[in-house]
Amino acid sequence: MTTMLDSLFKRIGYKPGQQVTFADLPEFLSLLALQFPFENGAVLRNERISMTKTELTKALLNNKRGGLCYDLNAFLYYVLTELGFSVHMVRGTVFNAKEQEWALTGTHVAVILREGDETYLLDTGFGINLPLAPVPFSGEPITSKTGAYRIRKTKTDKGDYLLEMDKGEGWQIGYAFSLTPIDEAALTCVRDAIFDEEASPFNKNPLASKLTKDGKLILSKDHFTKQTGSDLAKEEVNAGDFQTIFIQAFFD
């Protein structure tokens, strides 16, 4: 086992030295989600790390930080490649359900996996909307503790496929995407758009979210929300307290 995988397995509490098979991916993805929050601290600090396996591994495994989709799903891609899976990265465009409009074009990153004759989508960088299992292109829904997810082939001006999710209120569009593979140069373009574009939702105010074993954490500049089972606690965040709460609540 490589040093990268050994360090990752220790970090997430996965069985040391054991190969990850396709059947193991739901457990593996769930463990990743518990360790690496979706957060935009690097954007607000203007810390533009290289989108290489070496730099992303160093940033995520050696520091108390998470990242956005281009960090977390690129890291997932590098890990799955190291594990021997047939994978590539793709770009997508998130649909803003509240505003009923597309967000900044082409600024979501996800992972496509081939297993036998089947194709699947994996995503560990979509906030708390994580399938926590490979989503098949057959259209069959998969269900996890975060809801139900499915792929629908529908041509839009943002891509040929939709990831849809049902959080208990019916199916909604998560994002559109195409299957064209992207590389580190494209990842850098996505990163720079998130850092620099006025339409970016991530370069203005701090935010962080993470799944927990029995709930979720959501932190904004104004509020800290903690859900444990059916219990929901929400408290105000004072100016300057975001980083302290983030470090204390989001990491073991």
Side-chain angles (χ1 to χ4, degrees), residues 69-88:
C69 65
Y70 52 84
D71 300 301
L72 301 176
N73 280 327
F75 181 64
L76 176 63
Y77 161 76
Y78 293 131
V79 168
L80 292 174
T81 300
E82 197 87 3
L83 289 167
F85 288 99
S86 175
V87 288
H88 70 268

Side-chain angles (χ1 to χ4, degrees), residues 30 38 122 155-156 166 171 182 191 194 208 210 225 229 234:
S30 295
F38 183 83
L122 286 75
K155 190 170 183 61
T156 72
D166 183 353
W171 290 103
I182 64 170
R191 181 202 66 190
I194 292 298
K210 192 183 76 163
T225 303
K234 187 173 184 178

Side-chain angles (χ1 to χ4, degrees), residues 28-217:
F28 190 73
L29 292 168
S30 295
L31 290 172
L32 286 174
L34 296 178
Q35 284 295 320
F36 299 106
F38 183 83
E39 56 101 1
N40 66 339
V43 179
L44 299 183
R45 295 188 299 269
N46 198 28
E47 294 176 356
R48 304 190 192 219
I49 65 169
S50 173
M51 294 288 98
T52 63
K53 178 172 73 172
T54 299
E55 292 304 312
L56 277 175
T57 299
K58 186 188 305 181
L60 289 170
L61 292 184
N62 296 343
N63 300 285
K64 290 186 175 181
R65 61 157 285 176
L68 298 176
C69 65
Y70 52 84
D71 300 301
L72 301 176
N73 280 327
F75 181 64
L76 176 63
Y77 161 76
Y78 293 131
V79 168
L80 292 174
T81 300
E82 197 87 3
L83 289 167
F85 288 99
S86 175
V87 288
H88 70 268
M89 294 178 287
V90 296
R91 292 173 76 164
T93 301
V94 172
F95 187 72
N96 186 327
K98 182 178 180 180
E99 303 296 333
Q100 286 295 294
E101 63 183 18
W102 296 105
L104 194 59
T105 299
T107 53
H108 187 67
V109 173
V111 176
I112 303 299
L113 181 147
R114 288 283 298 175
E115 176 71 12
D117 295 329
E118 301 296 330
T119 304
Y120 300 85
L121 179 137
L122 286 75
D123 197 329
T124 193
F126 194 32
I128 55 174
N129 301 310
L130 303 182
L132 302 177
V135 185
F137 274 64
S138 65
E140 178 184 358
I142 65 102
T143 302
S144 72
K145 66 181 182 180
T146 67
Y149 300 83
R150 70 184 182 190
I151 302 293
R152 188 157 61 92
K153 185 173 175 57
T154 303
K155 190 170 183 61
T156 72
D157 61 347
K158 305 299 182 183
D160 299 326
Y161 296 89
L162 297 175
L163 173 73
E164 297 182 323
M165 52 191 183
D166 183 353
K167 315 287 280 187
E169 299 178 351
W171 290 103
Q172 300 180 37
I173 298 172
Y175 53 84
F177 65 97
S178 295
L179 290 179
T180 305
I182 64 170
D183 57 13
E184 291 174 8
L187 281 176
T188 301
C189 289
V190 172
R191 181 202 66 190
D192 288 347
I194 292 298
F195 272 65
D196 299 330
E197 294 288 341
E198 177 60 31
S200 168
F202 300 116
N203 59 9
K204 300 168 184 67
N205 295 304
L207 62 88
S209 63
K210 192 183 76 163
L211 297 178
T212 63
K213 289 182 179 179
D214 52 4
K216 60 188 176 184
L217 305 173

